[in-house]
Amino acid sequence: MDWKIFFTIFASVFIAELGDKTQLATMLFAADKAVSKYTVFFAASAALIVASAIGVLAGTLLSEYINPKYLQYVAGVGFILIGVYTLYTAG
């Protein structure tokens, strides 16, 4: 395993997930006193694992047909467009 790649991916995903709606939804579920915190933790963890698996599979399939460099461009433009849309709707 390439640990440099591992920690780069870990840091990127960790920072992206902090404070997002997924974390907020998880906090809301955990705030319910009638719900087991273990259930919340394991369900949220499983959901993130499945979502990540879909991302890995999609990236693997797309890279068979599209140059990964172009995928990076598309992802970058997508993030920029989401940021612009978020700023536009906030004002």
Side-chain angles (χ1 to χ4, degrees), residues 7-75:
F7 286 115
T8 299
I9 295 168
F10 177 89
S12 298
V13 172
F14 182 78
I15 290 169
E17 290 296 324
L18 280 179
D20 77 341
K21 61 185 177 266
T22 304
Q23 189 177 34
L24 295 174
T26 303
M27 287 190 307
L28 288 174
F29 284 119
D32 186 344
K33 295 193 184 322
V35 176
S36 166
K37 305 318 172 222
Y38 291 112
T39 301
V40 174
F41 174 77
F42 288 117
S45 298
L48 289 172
I49 289 169
V50 171
S52 296
I54 291 169
V56 170
L57 289 173
T60 301
L61 290 173
L62 287 173
S63 70
E64 295 291 323
Y65 303 102
I66 302 171
N67 184 332
K69 186 170 191 123
Y70 296 131
L71 290 174
Q72 288 178 330
Y73 290 141
V74 170

